[in-house]
Amino acid sequence: MIQNKIVRYSPKVLVENKVSFAAEGSELNIYDTYQQASQVGLSSDQLMFCGMVSGKKIMHSDGLHDVFLPHESFVMAPNQLVKIDFPEAKMETPTTCLAIEIAPERVHQVADQLNHVSPKSSAFGDWRYQHKVMHTHHTTQTQALLDRIVEIYTENNPDRQFLINLAVTELSARLLRQQTRDFIVGYCKQDPEANRMNAVVSYILANLALPLDVEQLLKIALMGRTKFFIEFKNHLGCSPIVFQQQERLKEAARLLEHGLQITETSFAVGFQNISHFSKTFKAFFGLSPTLYKQQKSNTLTLN
């Protein structure tokens, strides 16, 4: 866990105390806040990938107010100002976030590599970084990558720079894939009949509570099984069953935020076993449904 890998020093300031670890083309910053504060500005001339470690932040950007919790990422475009509230920070339980600053040209290089080795269909255009805020939940793989990044930056390894380059390349690729996935899902909702893949994704989203019907997906896509699974993973970054599971959990989170009870939420998104739902939800969000609902409810009360 990231929390266990961070070595803390005596803080110089109580709000956004920063410890930095530099590398060529990127930098890791670990921010600890030890007292409640509001409207604290943060910006960088680099792309900034923020991963929440502990506590809670409320991020204000472009008129949006997002609750930022552990097991989530908040990606800021270069020169974009975000203002942050720290509603729970205390000396004994600081709010902690790691921020990886990546040179924009590095991300563009990764996009060029993806366009070469894994081109998208013409319906969705080339791989490219979109200059906007992105707030998303970590997958298990992304969480493991962030754990590894903290280790690499902070250890004295003779291959440190080489390993950092590999890790930052992977993180950039995951960022690009997530942005593309968000774009595709949004596009599918707006125009489900634009192309076959849109129709497939729209069908999955409209039937989240039902078991995945692969044969029906093949009919919609007008593809054989092998080609379909390759195309789907190339565009969405995962298999259809994993995509459905993740979208179920995201929908469950939205339902919990809007006050639905845990049992009702579980059945509404297709889980028939409450224990399995709770275990799967915690593995994805890093919080149990009960704690997630409680934290979101507390935030709504504070606001």
Side-chain angles (χ1 to χ4, degrees), residues 115-164:
N115 284 318
H116 178 69
V117 302
S118 184
K120 295 185 290 180
S121 69
S122 58
F124 298 117
D126 294 335
W127 293 101
R128 66 183 64 183
Y129 171 66
Q130 301 169 45
H131 289 260
K132 62 179 183 179
V133 164
M134 184 178 78
H135 182 191
T136 187
H137 299 280
H138 296 164
T139 63
T140 303
Q141 294 84 356
T142 302
Q143 189 69 34
L145 173 61
L146 293 175
D147 285 345
R148 192 163 73 250
I149 284 174
V150 172
E151 280 189 349
I152 295 169
Y153 270 96
T154 56
E155 69 183 2
N156 185 21
N157 189 309
D159 300 319
R160 178 177 180 271
Q161 185 61 55
F162 173 72
L163 295 173
I164 287 174

Short mmCIF file of all heavy atoms in Angstrom, two decimals, residues 115-164:
data_model
loop_
_atom_site.label_atom_id
_atom_site.label_comp_id
_atom_site.label_asym_id
_atom_site.label_seq_id
_atom_site.Cartn_x
_atom_site.Cartn_y
_atom_site.Cartn_z
N ASN A 115 -0.56 5.01 -31.23
CA ASN A 115 -1.09 5.11 -32.59
C ASN A 115 -0.39 4.15 -33.54
O ASN A 115 -0.98 3.68 -34.52
CB ASN A 115 -0.96 6.55 -33.11
CG ASN A 115 -2.00 7.48 -32.52
OD1 ASN A 115 -3.15 7.12 -32.38
ND2 ASN A 115 -1.58 8.69 -32.16
N HIS A 116 0.88 3.86 -33.24
CA HIS A 116 1.66 2.96 -34.09
C HIS A 116 1.36 1.49 -33.80
O HIS A 116 1.15 0.69 -34.71
CB HIS A 116 3.16 3.23 -33.91
CG HIS A 116 4.03 2.31 -34.71
ND1 HIS A 116 4.11 2.37 -36.08
CD2 HIS A 116 4.87 1.31 -34.30
CE1 HIS A 116 4.95 1.43 -36.51
NE2 HIS A 116 5.43 0.78 -35.44
N VAL A 117 1.33 1.13 -32.50
CA VAL A 117 1.21 -0.29 -32.14
C VAL A 117 -0.23 -0.73 -31.89
O VAL A 117 -0.55 -1.91 -31.96
CB VAL A 117 2.06 -0.63 -30.89
CG1 VAL A 117 3.51 -0.28 -31.12
CG2 VAL A 117 1.54 0.10 -29.64
N SER A 118 -1.12 0.23 -31.60
CA SER A 118 -2.51 -0.13 -31.27
C SER A 118 -3.47 0.93 -31.78
O SER A 118 -4.18 1.58 -31.02
CB SER A 118 -2.66 -0.28 -29.74
OG SER A 118 -3.95 -0.71 -29.39
N PRO A 119 -3.50 1.13 -33.12
CA PRO A 119 -4.35 2.19 -33.68
C PRO A 119 -5.83 1.91 -33.45
O PRO A 119 -6.28 0.76 -33.47
CB PRO A 119 -4.01 2.17 -35.17
CG PRO A 119 -3.52 0.78 -35.42
CD PRO A 119 -2.81 0.37 -34.17
N LYS A 120 -6.60 3.00 -33.20
CA LYS A 120 -8.04 2.88 -33.05
C LYS A 120 -8.70 2.91 -34.42
O LYS A 120 -8.09 3.31 -35.41
CB LYS A 120 -8.57 4.02 -32.19
CG LYS A 120 -8.07 3.99 -30.76
CD LYS A 120 -8.74 5.07 -29.92
CE LYS A 120 -8.28 6.45 -30.32
NZ LYS A 120 -8.90 7.52 -29.55
N SER A 121 -9.96 2.49 -34.48
CA SER A 121 -10.69 2.58 -35.74
C SER A 121 -10.94 4.05 -36.08
O SER A 121 -10.90 4.92 -35.22
CB SER A 121 -12.03 1.84 -35.64
OG SER A 121 -12.91 2.52 -34.76
N SER A 122 -11.21 4.33 -37.33
CA SER A 122 -11.40 5.71 -37.79
C SER A 122 -12.57 6.39 -37.09
O SER A 122 -12.63 7.61 -37.01
CB SER A 122 -11.63 5.74 -39.30
OG SER A 122 -12.75 4.93 -39.65
N ALA A 123 -13.52 5.58 -36.56
CA ALA A 123 -14.69 6.16 -35.89
C ALA A 123 -14.31 6.94 -34.64
O ALA A 123 -15.02 7.85 -34.23
CB ALA A 123 -15.68 5.06 -35.52
N PHE A 124 -13.16 6.59 -34.03
CA PHE A 124 -12.78 7.22 -32.77
C PHE A 124 -11.50 8.05 -32.87
O PHE A 124 -11.02 8.58 -31.88
CB PHE A 124 -12.62 6.15 -31.69
CG PHE A 124 -13.89 5.39 -31.41
CD1 PHE A 124 -13.96 4.03 -31.65
CD2 PHE A 124 -15.00 6.04 -30.93
CE1 PHE A 124 -15.14 3.33 -31.40
CE2 PHE A 124 -16.19 5.35 -30.68
CZ PHE A 124 -16.25 3.99 -30.92
N GLY A 125 -10.91 8.18 -34.05
CA GLY A 125 -9.75 9.05 -34.23
C GLY A 125 -8.48 8.48 -33.63
O GLY A 125 -8.42 7.34 -33.17
N ASP A 126 -7.43 9.32 -33.60
CA ASP A 126 -6.13 8.89 -33.08
C ASP A 126 -6.08 8.99 -31.56
O ASP A 126 -6.90 9.66 -30.94
CB ASP A 126 -5.02 9.79 -33.67
CG ASP A 126 -4.87 9.60 -35.17
OD1 ASP A 126 -5.22 8.52 -35.67
OD2 ASP A 126 -4.41 10.55 -35.83
N TRP A 127 -5.06 8.32 -31.00
CA TRP A 127 -4.76 8.52 -29.58
C TRP A 127 -4.18 9.91 -29.41
O TRP A 127 -3.25 10.30 -30.11
CB TRP A 127 -3.72 7.49 -29.11
CG TRP A 127 -4.20 6.08 -29.09
CD1 TRP A 127 -3.95 5.12 -30.03
CD2 TRP A 127 -5.01 5.45 -28.09
NE1 TRP A 127 -4.55 3.95 -29.68
CE2 TRP A 127 -5.21 4.11 -28.50
CE3 TRP A 127 -5.58 5.89 -26.90
CZ2 TRP A 127 -5.96 3.20 -27.75
CZ3 TRP A 127 -6.33 5.00 -26.15
CH2 TRP A 127 -6.51 3.68 -26.57
N ARG A 128 -4.71 10.66 -28.46
CA ARG A 128 -4.16 11.98 -28.16
C ARG A 128 -4.61 12.41 -26.76
O ARG A 128 -5.67 11.98 -26.29
CB ARG A 128 -4.59 13.02 -29.19
CG ARG A 128 -6.07 13.33 -29.21
CD ARG A 128 -6.40 14.33 -30.31
NE ARG A 128 -6.13 13.77 -31.63
CZ ARG A 128 -6.28 14.45 -32.75
NH1 ARG A 128 -6.68 15.72 -32.72
NH2 ARG A 128 -6.02 13.90 -33.92
N TYR A 129 -3.80 13.23 -26.12
CA TYR A 129 -4.15 13.71 -24.79
C TYR A 129 -5.12 14.87 -24.90
O TYR A 129 -4.92 15.79 -25.69
CB TYR A 129 -2.89 14.15 -24.02
CG TYR A 129 -3.22 14.86 -22.73
CD1 TYR A 129 -3.85 14.18 -21.69
CD2 TYR A 129 -2.96 16.22 -22.57
CE1 TYR A 129 -4.19 14.83 -20.52
CE2 TYR A 129 -3.28 16.88 -21.38
CZ TYR A 129 -3.90 16.17 -20.37
OH TYR A 129 -4.25 16.81 -19.21
N GLN A 130 -6.20 14.82 -24.11
CA GLN A 130 -7.18 15.89 -24.07
C GLN A 130 -6.89 16.78 -22.86
O GLN A 130 -6.86 16.30 -21.73
CB GLN A 130 -8.59 15.30 -23.96
CG GLN A 130 -8.95 14.36 -25.11
CD GLN A 130 -10.23 13.61 -24.85
OE1 GLN A 130 -11.22 14.20 -24.40
NE2 GLN A 130 -10.24 12.32 -25.11
N HIS A 131 -6.71 18.07 -23.10
CA HIS A 131 -6.31 19.00 -22.04
C HIS A 131 -7.50 19.39 -21.18
O HIS A 131 -8.10 20.46 -21.35
CB HIS A 131 -5.65 20.24 -22.65
CG HIS A 131 -4.30 19.97 -23.23
ND1 HIS A 131 -3.14 20.27 -22.57
CD2 HIS A 131 -3.94 19.38 -24.39
CE1 HIS A 131 -2.11 19.90 -23.30
NE2 HIS A 131 -2.57 19.36 -24.41
N LYS A 132 -7.85 18.52 -20.25
CA LYS A 132 -8.95 18.80 -19.35
C LYS A 132 -8.78 17.98 -18.08
O LYS A 132 -8.04 17.00 -18.04
CB LYS A 132 -10.29 18.48 -20.01
CG LYS A 132 -10.47 17.01 -20.38
CD LYS A 132 -11.83 16.79 -21.01
CE LYS A 132 -12.06 15.32 -21.32
NZ LYS A 132 -13.39 15.08 -21.92
N VAL A 133 -9.50 18.39 -17.03
CA VAL A 133 -9.47 17.67 -15.76
C VAL A 133 -10.13 16.31 -15.93
O VAL A 133 -11.13 16.17 -16.64
CB VAL A 133 -10.22 18.48 -14.67
CG1 VAL A 133 -10.55 17.60 -13.47
CG2 VAL A 133 -9.37 19.66 -14.21
N MET A 134 -9.54 15.31 -15.31
CA MET A 134 -10.13 13.97 -15.32
C MET A 134 -10.14 13.43 -13.89
O MET A 134 -9.11 13.44 -13.22
CB MET A 134 -9.34 13.04 -16.24
CG MET A 134 -9.98 11.66 -16.38
SD MET A 134 -9.06 10.60 -17.52
CE MET A 134 -7.69 10.10 -16.47
N HIS A 135 -11.28 12.98 -13.42
CA HIS A 135 -11.42 12.41 -12.09
C HIS A 135 -11.93 10.99 -12.27
O HIS A 135 -13.00 10.78 -12.82
CB HIS A 135 -12.41 13.25 -11.27
CG HIS A 135 -12.58 12.76 -9.86
ND1 HIS A 135 -13.56 13.24 -9.03
CD2 HIS A 135 -11.90 11.85 -9.12
CE1 HIS A 135 -13.48 12.64 -7.84
NE2 HIS A 135 -12.47 11.80 -7.89
N THR A 136 -11.14 10.01 -11.82
CA THR A 136 -11.52 8.62 -12.04
C THR A 136 -11.08 7.76 -10.87
O THR A 136 -10.31 8.19 -10.02
CB THR A 136 -10.91 8.10 -13.36
OG1 THR A 136 -11.42 6.80 -13.65
CG2 THR A 136 -9.39 8.03 -13.27
N HIS A 137 -11.56 6.54 -10.85
CA HIS A 137 -11.21 5.58 -9.82
C HIS A 137 -10.08 4.68 -10.31
O HIS A 137 -10.02 4.33 -11.48
CB HIS A 137 -12.42 4.74 -9.43
CG HIS A 137 -13.55 5.53 -8.89
ND1 HIS A 137 -13.60 5.98 -7.59
CD2 HIS A 137 -14.68 6.00 -9.48
CE1 HIS A 137 -14.71 6.67 -7.40
NE2 HIS A 137 -15.37 6.71 -8.54
N HIS A 138 -9.19 4.32 -9.41
CA HIS A 138 -8.10 3.43 -9.77
C HIS A 138 -8.61 2.01 -10.01
O HIS A 138 -9.46 1.52 -9.26
CB HIS A 138 -7.07 3.32 -8.63
CG HIS A 138 -6.38 4.60 -8.33
ND1 HIS A 138 -5.67 4.80 -7.17
CD2 HIS A 138 -6.27 5.74 -9.02
CE1 HIS A 138 -5.15 6.00 -7.17
NE2 HIS A 138 -5.51 6.60 -8.28
N THR A 139 -8.08 1.37 -11.04
CA THR A 139 -8.21 -0.08 -11.12
C THR A 139 -7.15 -0.69 -10.21
O THR A 139 -6.24 0.00 -9.72
CB THR A 139 -7.99 -0.56 -12.55
OG1 THR A 139 -6.63 -0.26 -12.94
CG2 THR A 139 -8.96 0.11 -13.53
N THR A 140 -7.26 -1.99 -9.98
CA THR A 140 -6.25 -2.68 -9.17
C THR A 140 -4.86 -2.51 -9.78
O THR A 140 -3.88 -2.30 -9.08
CB THR A 140 -6.59 -4.17 -9.06
OG1 THR A 140 -7.90 -4.31 -8.51
CG2 THR A 140 -5.59 -4.91 -8.17
N GLN A 141 -4.80 -2.55 -11.12
CA GLN A 141 -3.51 -2.42 -11.81
C GLN A 141 -2.91 -1.03 -11.64
O GLN A 141 -1.70 -0.88 -11.43
CB GLN A 141 -3.67 -2.75 -13.30
CG GLN A 141 -4.02 -4.19 -13.60
CD GLN A 141 -5.52 -4.47 -13.50
OE1 GLN A 141 -6.31 -3.60 -13.13
NE2 GLN A 141 -5.91 -5.69 -13.83
N THR A 142 -3.76 0.00 -11.73
CA THR A 142 -3.26 1.37 -11.55
C THR A 142 -2.79 1.59 -10.12
O THR A 142 -1.77 2.24 -9.88
CB THR A 142 -4.36 2.39 -11.91
OG1 THR A 142 -4.77 2.18 -13.26
CG2 THR A 142 -3.84 3.81 -11.75
N GLN A 143 -3.52 1.05 -9.16
CA GLN A 143 -3.11 1.18 -7.76
C GLN A 143 -1.75 0.53 -7.54
O GLN A 143 -0.87 1.08 -6.86
CB GLN A 143 -4.16 0.54 -6.84
CG GLN A 143 -3.94 0.81 -5.36
CD GLN A 143 -4.19 2.26 -4.98
OE1 GLN A 143 -5.05 2.91 -5.57
NE2 GLN A 143 -3.44 2.77 -4.03
N ALA A 144 -1.55 -0.66 -8.12
CA ALA A 144 -0.26 -1.36 -8.00
C ALA A 144 0.85 -0.55 -8.67
O ALA A 144 1.99 -0.50 -8.17
CB ALA A 144 -0.36 -2.75 -8.61
N LEU A 145 0.55 0.07 -9.80
CA LEU A 145 1.53 0.89 -10.49
C LEU A 145 1.95 2.08 -9.64
O LEU A 145 3.14 2.41 -9.55
CB LEU A 145 0.97 1.37 -11.84
CG LEU A 145 1.81 2.38 -12.61
CD1 LEU A 145 3.18 1.78 -12.96
CD2 LEU A 145 1.08 2.83 -13.88
N LEU A 146 1.00 2.75 -8.99
CA LEU A 146 1.33 3.89 -8.13
C LEU A 146 2.18 3.44 -6.94
O LEU A 146 3.11 4.15 -6.53
CB LEU A 146 0.06 4.58 -7.65
CG LEU A 146 -0.76 5.28 -8.75
CD1 LEU A 146 -2.06 5.81 -8.18
CD2 LEU A 146 0.04 6.40 -9.39
N ASP A 147 1.87 2.28 -6.38
CA ASP A 147 2.72 1.73 -5.31
C ASP A 147 4.16 1.58 -5.81
O ASP A 147 5.12 1.95 -5.12
CB ASP A 147 2.20 0.35 -4.88
CG ASP A 147 0.95 0.43 -4.02
OD1 ASP A 147 0.64 1.53 -3.53
OD2 ASP A 147 0.30 -0.61 -3.83
N ARG A 148 4.28 1.04 -7.00
CA ARG A 148 5.62 0.79 -7.57
C ARG A 148 6.34 2.10 -7.87
O ARG A 148 7.56 2.21 -7.66
CB ARG A 148 5.47 -0.05 -8.84
CG ARG A 148 6.80 -0.62 -9.35
CD ARG A 148 6.58 -1.74 -10.34
NE ARG A 148 6.12 -1.29 -11.64
CZ ARG A 148 4.91 -1.51 -12.12
NH1 ARG A 148 4.02 -2.16 -11.40
NH2 ARG A 148 4.58 -1.09 -13.33
N ILE A 149 5.60 3.10 -8.36
CA ILE A 149 6.21 4.40 -8.67
C ILE A 149 6.80 5.03 -7.42
O ILE A 149 7.92 5.58 -7.45
CB ILE A 149 5.17 5.32 -9.34
CG1 ILE A 149 4.97 4.89 -10.80
CG2 ILE A 149 5.61 6.78 -9.27
CD1 ILE A 149 3.87 5.65 -11.51
N VAL A 150 6.08 5.00 -6.31
CA VAL A 150 6.60 5.56 -5.07
C VAL A 150 7.89 4.85 -4.67
O VAL A 150 8.87 5.49 -4.27
CB VAL A 150 5.56 5.46 -3.94
CG1 VAL A 150 6.17 5.86 -2.59
CG2 VAL A 150 4.36 6.36 -4.24
N GLU A 151 7.91 3.53 -4.80
CA GLU A 151 9.13 2.77 -4.47
C GLU A 151 10.30 3.19 -5.35
O GLU A 151 11.41 3.43 -4.87
CB GLU A 151 8.87 1.27 -4.65
CG GLU A 151 8.14 0.61 -3.52
CD GLU A 151 8.10 -0.90 -3.68
OE1 GLU A 151 8.47 -1.40 -4.78
OE2 GLU A 151 7.72 -1.59 -2.73
N ILE A 152 10.05 3.29 -6.65
CA ILE A 152 11.13 3.58 -7.61
C ILE A 152 11.72 4.96 -7.37
O ILE A 152 12.94 5.14 -7.37
CB ILE A 152 10.62 3.46 -9.06
CG1 ILE A 152 10.20 2.01 -9.37
CG2 ILE A 152 11.71 3.89 -10.05
CD1 ILE A 152 9.44 1.88 -10.67
N TYR A 153 10.85 5.97 -7.20
CA TYR A 153 11.33 7.34 -7.00
C TYR A 153 12.13 7.48 -5.71
O TYR A 153 13.07 8.28 -5.64
CB TYR A 153 10.15 8.32 -6.96
CG TYR A 153 9.75 8.89 -8.31
CD1 TYR A 153 8.72 8.31 -9.03
CD2 TYR A 153 10.38 10.00 -8.84
CE1 TYR A 153 8.31 8.83 -10.25
CE2 TYR A 153 9.99 10.53 -10.06
CZ TYR A 153 8.95 9.94 -10.76
OH TYR A 153 8.56 10.46 -11.97
N THR A 154 11.73 6.76 -4.67
CA THR A 154 12.31 7.00 -3.35
C THR A 154 13.46 6.06 -3.01
O THR A 154 14.14 6.27 -2.01
CB THR A 154 11.22 6.86 -2.26
OG1 THR A 154 10.61 5.56 -2.36
CG2 THR A 154 10.15 7.93 -2.43
N GLU A 155 13.70 5.04 -3.83
CA GLU A 155 14.79 4.12 -3.51
C GLU A 155 16.06 4.51 -4.25
O GLU A 155 16.04 5.22 -5.26
CB GLU A 155 14.40 2.68 -3.85
CG GLU A 155 14.28 2.42 -5.34
CD GLU A 155 13.81 1.00 -5.64
OE1 GLU A 155 13.55 0.25 -4.68
OE2 GLU A 155 13.69 0.65 -6.83
N ASN A 156 17.20 4.04 -3.74
CA ASN A 156 18.49 4.33 -4.36
C ASN A 156 18.90 3.14 -5.23
O ASN A 156 19.70 2.30 -4.84
CB ASN A 156 19.54 4.58 -3.27
CG ASN A 156 20.88 5.01 -3.85
OD1 ASN A 156 20.94 5.47 -4.99
ND2 ASN A 156 21.94 4.83 -3.08
N ASN A 157 18.31 3.09 -6.43
CA ASN A 157 18.54 1.98 -7.35
C ASN A 157 19.40 2.47 -8.52
O ASN A 157 19.13 3.53 -9.08
CB ASN A 157 17.19 1.46 -7.86
CG ASN A 157 17.31 0.17 -8.66
OD1 ASN A 157 18.11 0.07 -9.58
ND2 ASN A 157 16.50 -0.81 -8.29
N PRO A 158 20.45 1.72 -8.90
CA PRO A 158 21.30 2.18 -10.02
C PRO A 158 20.52 2.31 -11.33
O PRO A 158 20.94 3.06 -12.23
CB PRO A 158 22.37 1.10 -10.11
CG PRO A 158 21.81 -0.09 -9.39
CD PRO A 158 20.93 0.46 -8.32
N ASP A 159 19.40 1.61 -11.46
CA ASP A 159 18.58 1.68 -12.67
C ASP A 159 17.37 2.59 -12.48
O ASP A 159 16.37 2.50 -13.20
CB ASP A 159 18.10 0.27 -13.07
CG ASP A 159 19.25 -0.66 -13.35
OD1 ASP A 159 20.23 -0.22 -13.98
OD2 ASP A 159 19.18 -1.84 -12.93
N ARG A 160 17.45 3.49 -11.49
CA ARG A 160 16.30 4.31 -11.10
C ARG A 160 15.67 5.04 -12.28
O ARG A 160 14.46 4.98 -12.50
CB ARG A 160 16.73 5.31 -10.03
CG ARG A 160 15.65 6.27 -9.54
CD ARG A 160 16.21 7.15 -8.42
NE ARG A 160 15.21 8.09 -7.90
CZ ARG A 160 15.02 9.31 -8.40
NH1 ARG A 160 15.75 9.74 -9.43
NH2 ARG A 160 14.09 10.10 -7.87
N GLN A 161 16.47 5.78 -13.07
CA GLN A 161 15.91 6.57 -14.16
C GLN A 161 15.25 5.69 -15.22
O GLN A 161 14.18 6.01 -15.74
CB GLN A 161 17.00 7.42 -14.81
CG GLN A 161 16.49 8.38 -15.89
CD GLN A 161 15.49 9.40 -15.34
OE1 GLN A 161 15.78 10.12 -14.39
NE2 GLN A 161 14.30 9.45 -15.94
N PHE A 162 15.88 4.59 -15.54
CA PHE A 162 15.32 3.66 -16.53
C PHE A 162 13.97 3.12 -16.05
O PHE A 162 12.99 3.08 -16.80
CB PHE A 162 16.29 2.51 -16.77
CG PHE A 162 15.76 1.41 -17.64
CD1 PHE A 162 15.59 1.61 -19.00
CD2 PHE A 162 15.40 0.18 -17.09
CE1 PHE A 162 15.08 0.60 -19.81
CE2 PHE A 162 14.89 -0.83 -17.89
CZ PHE A 162 14.73 -0.62 -19.25
N LEU A 163 13.90 2.73 -14.78
CA LEU A 163 12.66 2.18 -14.22
C LEU A 163 11.58 3.25 -14.14
O LEU A 163 10.40 2.97 -14.38
CB LEU A 163 12.93 1.58 -12.84
CG LEU A 163 13.86 0.36 -12.81
CD1 LEU A 163 14.18 -0.04 -11.38
CD2 LEU A 163 13.23 -0.81 -13.56
N ILE A 164 11.97 4.49 -13.80
CA ILE A 164 11.01 5.59 -13.77
C ILE A 164 10.43 5.83 -15.16
O ILE A 164 9.22 6.03 -15.32
CB ILE A 164 11.66 6.87 -13.22
CG1 ILE A 164 11.87 6.75 -11.70
CG2 ILE A 164 10.81 8.11 -13.55
CD1 ILE A 164 12.63 7.90 -11.08
#
